[in-house]
Amino acid sequence: MKRKTRILLAGLASVGGAAVGAGMLHNRRPDRRERLHVTVYSEPGYMGRNKTLTWTGGKREVVPLSRIKLPRIGSIRLVRLVYRFQPDVRLPNPYFLWHALTERPDSTDPEGGIASFIAMHQLAGMFSVGLWEPVRESEARSGVRLWTGRPTHGSGDPSGKAASGGSRWHDVRANAPDLGLWSTRARYLELGYHGGSGARR
């Protein structure tokens, strides 16, 4: 086997170990960014016409009710996901790995180098395996804020009360089968982190 291939195999093994370690650390981070899927329904009880919106993290996203083309919002379902790095930690077959590292090239052997090929394929199989997993409602940070008018921030009014005494916004952090009066009051939806919860990075 050529020295170049041995170096490549050793490099793949090192990078694979580093990727697995980094993935495990990533899964333990308390600030993993959520991906939020919001399905809004025109009627209570998750009935009527519906539209699904997706927020991928970062800056809050404001969606006017006119954009989703629903007459009102009667109910809302929320699905939050975070990416879980789940590498395939099965090591390459020791037999193929040993032969890949020790065999000498033979130009007359049509099967020469097959052990190297198999070992490299198995090493490469350790990388970039993951999935999106649901966030438990008790641990979720993202949600939807319903606004009666265009969203404003930094107004010095953390209560959200309008001059008329009514609330300018309403936070939805769990599935809401019936939004009551907010089904007709809401004019804008704001997707993101609210209530002092910082963005996951």
Side-chain angles (χ1 to χ4, degrees), residues 115-128:
S116 299
F117 174 79
I118 294 174
M120 291 175 66
H121 178 75
Q122 292 180 350
L123 281 169
M126 296 175 62
F127 300 118
S128 65

Side-chain angles (χ1 to χ4, degrees), residues 24 26 32 96 130 143 154 170 180 186:
M24 297 301 102
H26 169 82
R32 287 185 294 165
F96 291 111
H170 172 69

Side-chain angles (χ1 to χ4, degrees), residues 116-150:
S116 299
F117 174 79
I118 294 174
M120 291 175 66
H121 178 75
Q122 292 180 350
L123 281 169
M126 296 175 62
F127 300 118
S128 65
V129 178
L131 52 85
W132 287 93
E133 63 178 9
V135 179
R136 287 185 294 184
E137 192 171 286
S138 61
E139 298 177 353
R141 295 184 179 184
S142 58
V144 180
R145 177 167 288 180
L146 305 177
W147 288 83
T148 58
R150 182 172 291 277

